[in-house]
Amino acid sequence: HAGARNVVERIFGVFKKRFAAIRNGTEYPMSTQACIFPACAVLHNFIRTHDPDDWSDVETDEEEELEDAPERGGALGRGGAVRPIETRRAGKRRDEIAQAMWADYQ
């Protein structure tokens, strides 16, 4: 579940960065607001499909590693699978947090 949560949080972060309507909110009726996120998802997927070099949504400290990645597409590869580079980055961060917590405990 933690891995899925990380992916979902990353997707929301990408959408907030790319689409101001999600980041800032809108004054539209609730029924319209409910359609904004799926519409943004369609636009995002269209951009990723037709402009694979669009890196405006990537936020990582390992840019060199991302540039060497065989398949471009942000955190998720084709079909929504988490890419190995994202798994390694998340694992590294998780281990750093665990080490910090252990140090605080001792």
Side-chain angles (χ1 to χ4, degrees), residues 18-29:
R18 179 165 278 191
F19 301 107
I22 293 174
R23 183 176 52 248
N24 301 330
T26 64
E27 299 285 328
Y28 295 108

Side-chain angles (χ1 to χ4, degrees), residues 44-63:
H44 175 77
N45 289 338
F46 181 84
I47 292 168
R48 300 304 296 166
T49 299
H50 295 284
D51 188 7
D53 293 328
D54 177 40
W55 284 95
S56 64
D57 62 348
V58 175
E59 296 178 3
T60 182
D61 297 332
E62 302 167 344
E63 291 181 19

Side-chain angles (χ1 to χ4, degrees), residues 15 18-19 21-22 28 31-47:
F15 279 19
R18 179 165 278 191
F19 301 107
I22 293 174
Y28 295 108
S31 60
T32 303
Q33 289 184 34
C35 297
I36 291 175
F37 197 85
C40 289
V42 168
L43 287 172
H44 175 77
N45 289 338
F46 181 84
I47 292 168

Side-chain angles (χ1 to χ4, degrees), residues 7 71 73-84 86-87:
V7 171
E71 178 184 352
L76 300 179
R78 302 251 182 239
V82 178
R83 294 181 25 198
E86 183 63 18
T87 301

